[in-house]
Amino acid sequence: MAKEIRNFKHLLGKLEGISDPQLEAHFGLYEGYVKKLNEIEEKLEKVDKGLTNYSFGEYSELKRRHCVPYNGTYLHEMYFDNMLASESPSTKFEKLVKESFGSMDAWKAEVKATGLAVPGWVVTCVETTTGKLRNVQIMEHHIGFPLNHTPVLVMDTWEHAFFLDFKANRGGYIDTFFKNINWSVVNARVAQIVN
């Protein structure tokens, strides 16, 4: 069954410092990932798997590239879901932050530093083996995400997420991102993982 494109237009006119043209361009990019994901998954169902080998084969190439639109789709959905300022961090989230980083300011500083390091994604995760929060940087949607990590907050730091509004000022965009966090979504994600 094909993945459906989700509608995030409820964010239009509601985010502080992120314009509607910026959001609409970003929605279009997300829609492209969903379409490519559906295309690859349809081809994977039909391709002759008997011709596959490590050197080359249509099946092997489709499998190698599948993670890019897959993660591109779901990371964007988590990102848009955790945007639209509401509430405040839960006591569970604040406790995890204090145990893992010492303070909310230290956590924010690490999120920002991770986002400034290179373009990609910054994902605050609960590391299931330790129960601590970690800020993970993901490159190209599928490179660099460690096992045993469950996302609770997703920030897109590719230029397409901010360039219309911020030009090359990634730091200004990150500061604006913090003002737009939908804590009710983040708190719900934490509650599903942490007792």
Side-chain angles (χ1 to χ4, degrees):
M1 188 162 132
K3 166 78 175 150
E4 289 189 26
I5 294 169
R6 289 183 51 198
N7 184 337
F8 293 100
K9 293 191 179 208
H10 66 278
L11 297 175
L12 295 174
K14 304 270 177 64
L15 299 184
E16 181 182 337
I18 300 176
S19 70
D20 288 354
Q22 177 66 71
L23 283 170
E24 288 169 341
H26 206 167
F27 297 158
L29 185 116
Y30 153 71
E31 290 170 10
Y33 282 115
V34 177
K35 290 174 185 174
K36 190 55 70 175
L37 173 61
N38 288 333
E39 177 187 334
I40 289 175
E41 289 187 344
E42 183 179 331
K43 287 181 179 182
L44 280 168
E45 287 179 16
K46 297 175 182 175
V47 69
D48 185 349
K49 295 167 186 64
L51 301 176
T52 299
N53 65 60
Y54 180 73
S55 296
F56 180 79
E58 187 177 3
Y59 179 79
S60 60
E61 291 307 308
L62 289 167
K63 286 299 274 187
R64 285 184 189 126
R65 298 309 296 170
H66 179 256
C67 253
V68 174
Y70 186 91
N71 285 0
T73 293
Y74 288 99
L75 284 166
H76 276 101
E77 289 181 355
M78 291 185 81
Y79 168 76
F80 293 133
D81 281 340
N82 66 210
M83 297 289 282
L84 190 56
S86 73
E87 299 184 22
S88 56
S90 66
T91 54
K92 281 185 182 182
F93 184 83
E94 288 180 334
K95 182 175 185 272
L96 281 171
V97 164
K98 188 171 183 185
E99 291 170 355
S100 304
F101 299 98
S103 69
M104 285 292 283
D105 287 340
W107 167 73
K108 282 184 177 180
E110 184 172 304
V111 169
K112 187 170 184 177
T114 304
L116 291 171
V118 294
W121 296 87
V122 179
V123 184
T124 299
C125 302
V126 175
E127 183 182 12
T128 57
T129 53
T130 65
K132 295 203 176 236
L133 285 180
R134 302 277 183 235
N135 293 313
V136 175
Q137 185 179 72
I138 304 173
M139 295 296 298
E140 296 184 44
H141 311 316
H142 67 300
I143 298 173
F145 193 78
L147 296 174
N148 302 320
H149 284 68
T150 304
V152 295
L153 177 72
V154 175
M155 178 174 65
D156 190 343
T157 59
W158 286 101
E159 288 85 355
H160 66 249
F162 63 85
F163 201 81
L164 291 177
D165 292 336
F166 293 90
K167 306 300 183 238
N169 184 6
R170 182 178 279 120
Y173 159 72
I174 292 170
D175 292 338
T176 299
F177 171 83
F178 284 121
K179 295 176 187 175
N180 288 289
I181 293 174
N182 187 335
W183 285 108
S184 62
V185 168
V186 175
N187 294 340
R189 290 174 183 164
V190 169
Q192 287 181 334
I193 304 163
V194 180
N195 296 329

